[in-house]
Amino acid sequence: MARRLDYSARYPLHTTKELYEALSTPAYWEARVAEMRKYTPGNEVSSLEVSDSGIEVVLHHTLPREMLPEIAQTVMRKDMLITRKESWGPYNGEETVGKFSASIPAGPGSLGGTIKLFPTEIGCTMRFSSEAKVFIPMVGPRLEQLMLVNLVDLFRGEAEVTVQWLEERTQ
């Protein structure tokens, strides 16, 4: 059975337009990946495509096996190579929706979900609805919960980088 978790990143004093423009900018994605390199060196933007139909980005992350929690090390015998994809639909002047996924070669499960960017009274919010599924009896539920908790930490860190990136451009 899959586990689900919602997380909302709030961007006070920033509009959905500002955030969508950031999502379509290579320098923004490089800033996010640069921050991740402080914790694990193997992070890169593989591709970014921006068109009238939206935004598609592919990121590659490498997590050394020794940095994984002990329960994850029982499943992963090598460094964890993660391909992360985010896609956003076109911006309609007010909001947009997207989706994300993360895959691991020969990984024992799946991780993905939807994202909605919408305005609020004091700025905007990006709401992530995530689903984790691990296909290993006995440890699956524990790994699913671990994945979702770590994903929230990742989203929180990315939101901090985003706010900083936006504020540097509006000063």
Side-chain angles (χ1 to χ4, degrees):
M1 186 167 100
R3 291 186 185 262
R4 292 173 177 76
L5 183 69
D6 289 339
Y7 173 75
S8 292
R10 290 172 179 79
Y11 301 91
L13 309 178
H14 295 287
T15 65
T16 57
K17 180 180 180 186
E18 289 174 305
L19 201 53
Y20 193 82
E21 286 173 356
L23 294 169
S24 65
T25 305
Y28 164 76
W29 290 101
E30 289 298 335
R32 272 183 44 174
V33 168
E35 181 65 23
M36 295 179 77
R37 284 189 198 116
K38 292 178 181 177
Y39 308 102
T40 58
N43 294 288
E44 67 180 20
V45 178
S46 176
S47 67
L48 172 64
E49 294 180 32
V50 180
S51 69
D52 291 341
S53 60
I55 302 166
E56 301 272 339
V57 65
V58 178
L59 309 171
H60 290 289
H61 308 292
T62 302
L63 295 174
R65 184 176 183 271
E66 61 271 6
M67 292 182 72
L68 298 174
E70 191 174 311
I71 189 169
Q73 287 183 28
T74 63
V75 177
M76 299 302 296
R77 299 291 177 204
K78 299 179 182 178
D79 291 350
M80 186 181 291
L81 307 174
I82 303 168
T83 298
R84 183 172 162 198
K85 297 178 181 179
E86 268 188 41
S87 63
W88 293 89
Y91 180 67
N92 69 10
E94 188 171 320
E95 63 182 38
T96 187
V97 294
K99 60 184 176 179
F100 71 93
S101 65
S103 61
I104 302 166
S110 62
L111 179 64
T114 60
I115 318 166
K116 183 174 182 179
L117 174 61
F118 57 92
T120 62
E121 287 185 20
I122 61 166
C124 66
T125 295
M126 191 179 292
R127 179 167 298 133
F128 297 86
S129 297
S130 307
E131 180 178 283
K133 176 66 179 158
V134 176
F135 307 108
I136 301 174
M138 306 298 280
V139 297
R142 289 178 45 208
L143 283 173
E144 290 166 356
Q145 187 63 33
L146 181 65
M147 289 166 59
L148 291 172
V149 167
N150 286 323
L151 190 61
V152 166
D153 289 343
L154 176 69
F155 290 154
R156 186 176 294 119
E158 289 174 346
E160 290 172 7
V161 170
T162 302
V163 167
Q164 180 179 355
W165 196 87
L166 289 168
E167 288 176 357
E168 288 173 359
R169 267 121 203 100
T170 57
Q171 293 179 358

